[in-house]
Amino acid sequence: MSKKELPPPLGENYLSEESKTLISSLLSYQDFVGKLCNYQGCWYFYNTLQGVINFQKNFKPQDTDIILASFPKSGTTWLKALTIALLERSKKNDRSCDHHPLESDNPHGLVPFLELSLYLQSSTPDLTNLSSSSPRVFSTHMPLHTLQVPLKDSLCKVVYVCRNLKDVLVSNWHFKCTTLKNTKVEGSFTLESMFDSFCSGVDFFGPFWENVLSYWRGSLEDPEHVLFMTYEDLKAEPRGQIKRLAEFLGCPFSEQEEGSGGVDKILELCSLRNLTSLEINKSGKTSNKVCNSSFFRKGEVGDWKNHLIPEMENKIDNIVEEKFKGSGLKF
Ligand code: PAP
């Protein structure tokens, strides 16, 4: 059986001559999947760097834009679903049918990634479909300082979701095992090798701590435009957190909505159980040819305990303590 292609963001065939020259001046590293380079303190596979550069040069923000940000495997899909569901409430009366967008598209189809999708292959992607719905909603895994380059003076809102590093690592491990199955790199990496890359910080969109801290500090400096959320808080007190998100986005729940169970309806619609049961999430694929189903697994806090040995746990705890010391952020 022939091997599947790697997902496009991991390759290096979209590079412009200008980017090739830039890359030759950057720190680079060959990992088990492909070549990474360090741009503005963050590690990218080459094609993704091209997406970042296309975005930085050409993106024109609108003040009403919403950008959902995260380190991979921190709750991106969930945050996208919740945001779409919150915004959809105000459009409900305009819709001619009762069909909810989350029933016909995966959250990643509804909220495209800037660098991994829209600007990956094009410096001027067609955003007209998104423009027809105000606000436009985008997503990213870039750190805040890189995202902010074209956002200068814009009033757009950024929501970041953060997750416990150990669960992120384990979730990423499962995701890679699924998405890289039957590709040329299958079998060339282990949980241990991923753990080492993760801890060294030389990791796709890493270092994890730099990504998290960029948004944490941004949220402290400008809380009106940057909201910092955690996967664990969403699990522990979903009602409080979704109300917080709705207020930040400027679409708070009315007393009447709350009284009639509006908050719970959205939580149920966006629950892992419900999203997993939808046909689109069982069979569809993203624009990068990744199965929609691979974004849904256990969705638990603490699944790392089933995978990491005590030495790994200790090493990560030490890294977290050292890197987040003095930041005020607690895991
Ligand atoms: P991405 O960054 O590649 O988009 P992301 O959605 O952040 O991935 O992470 C997937 C994780 O979120 C999975 O966690 P797990 O591997 O520990 O199980 C997935 O199960 C979880 N997830 C996806 N959707 C939901 C949801 N609706 N509620 C709770 N967790 C979810």
Side-chain angles (χ1 to χ4, degrees):
M1 199 172 75
S2 64
K3 299 272 184 200
K4 278 191 305 181
E5 294 282 314
L6 290 175
L10 310 185
E12 50 184 284
N13 50 332
Y14 298 160
L15 295 178
S16 66
E17 288 309 313
E18 201 183 344
S19 300
K20 286 182 190 162
T21 309
L22 169 71
I23 286 175
S24 64
S25 69
L26 300 175
L27 210 56
S28 62
Y29 182 79
Q30 171 79 48
D31 92 343
F32 43 80
V33 173
K35 286 187 201 144
L36 291 157
C37 59
N38 189 290
Y39 178 69
Q40 299 182 342
C42 179
W43 290 95
Y44 300 100
F45 288 111
Y46 287 8
N47 278 352
T48 307
L49 175 67
Q50 184 66 60
V52 171
I53 290 169
N54 290 342
F55 159 76
Q56 285 191 324
K57 281 191 177 164
N58 300 294
F59 182 68
K60 303 273 178 293
Q62 295 177 2
D63 284 346
T64 50
D65 285 346
I66 295 169
I67 303 182
L68 307 179
S70 59
F71 187 83
K73 304 297 144 204
S74 299
T76 327
T77 314
W78 195 11
L79 178 62
K80 287 183 181 189
L82 290 170
T83 304
I84 289 295
L86 285 174
L87 297 174
E88 197 60 22
R89 283 144 64 227
S90 60
K91 292 184 205 155
K92 208 173 166 195
N93 297 336
D94 305 340
R95 280 207 318 267
S96 48
C97 64
D98 259 353
H99 187 73
H100 197 285
L102 283 167
E103 287 167 5
S104 53
D105 206 347
N106 173 264
H108 292 287
L110 296 167
V111 183
F113 278 103
L114 290 161
E115 73 283 13
L116 289 171
S117 174
L118 294 172
Y119 287 88
L120 183 71
Q121 290 187 60
S122 167
S123 49
T124 51
D126 182 4
L127 304 182
T128 43
N129 277 349
L130 286 160
S131 301
S132 63
S133 65
S134 180
R136 306 185 301 179
V137 192
F138 302 100
S139 64
T140 186
H141 289 318
M142 290 177 256
L144 184 60
H145 49 268
T146 298
L147 173 69
Q148 275 175 330
V149 170
L151 302 189
K152 266 188 239 85
D153 304 324
S154 150
L155 299 177
C156 67
K157 297 201 171 185
V158 178
V159 182
Y160 186 75
V161 62
C162 169
R163 190 180 187 188
N164 168 324
L165 196 158
K166 288 178 262 190
D167 282 333
V168 167
L169 169 65
V170 167
S171 183
N172 210 348
W173 156 246
H174 284 285
F175 182 73
K176 284 216 169 89
C177 289
T178 310
T179 51
L180 300 180
K181 201 167 178 211
N182 297 329
T183 65
K184 62 179 187 208
V185 301
E186 183 187 14
S188 62
F189 60 95
T190 58
L191 177 60
E192 288 70 23
S193 62
M194 274 188 64
F195 169 82
D196 289 340
S197 325
F198 214 72
C199 292
S200 71
V202 187
D203 185 39
F204 194 25
F205 292 106
F208 170 85
W209 44 92
E210 297 294 344
N211 195 289
V212 172
L213 284 172
S214 71
Y215 287 95
W216 172 247
R217 292 185 183 125
S219 71
L220 297 178
E221 281 160 20
D222 187 5
E224 225 184 292
H225 298 106
V226 184
L227 178 72
F228 191 94
M229 307 188 78
T230 73
Y231 187 89
E232 291 75 19
D233 285 347
L234 272 165
K235 292 288 283 191
E237 41 145 4
R239 286 195 191 91
Q241 292 301 315
I242 193 182
K243 286 201 286 189
R244 189 172 161 239
L245 177 60
E247 266 162 40
F248 176 79
L249 295 177
C251 54
F253 287 93
S254 64
E255 270 180 33
Q256 192 200 355
E257 259 184 308
E258 270 198 60
S260 62
V263 175
D264 288 334
K265 269 186 214 146
I266 289 191
L267 289 172
E268 170 52 24
L269 175 69
C270 300
S271 68
L272 186 65
R273 192 200 55 74
N274 183 55
L275 292 180
T276 318
S277 72
L278 298 172
E279 196 49 45
I280 180 68
N281 294 324
K282 286 186 189 164
S283 56
K285 286 191 177 183
T286 68
S287 62
N288 284 327
K289 315 243 177 314
V290 174
C291 291
N292 289 340
S293 59
S294 57
F295 293 96
F296 307 97
R297 199 180 60 93
K298 279 187 173 178
E300 284 172 6
V301 173
D303 185 42
W304 62 267
K305 291 181 188 138
N306 298 317
H307 298 273
L308 303 187
I309 57 172
E311 287 76 18
M312 289 171 155
E313 179 189 352
N314 289 339
K315 184 161 177 185
I316 294 185
D317 287 345
N318 288 338
I319 290 175
V320 168
E321 195 182 323
E322 185 206 323
K323 301 292 181 189
F324 292 96
K325 200 169 168 179
S327 68
L329 182 58
K330 297 262 175 299
F331 278 92

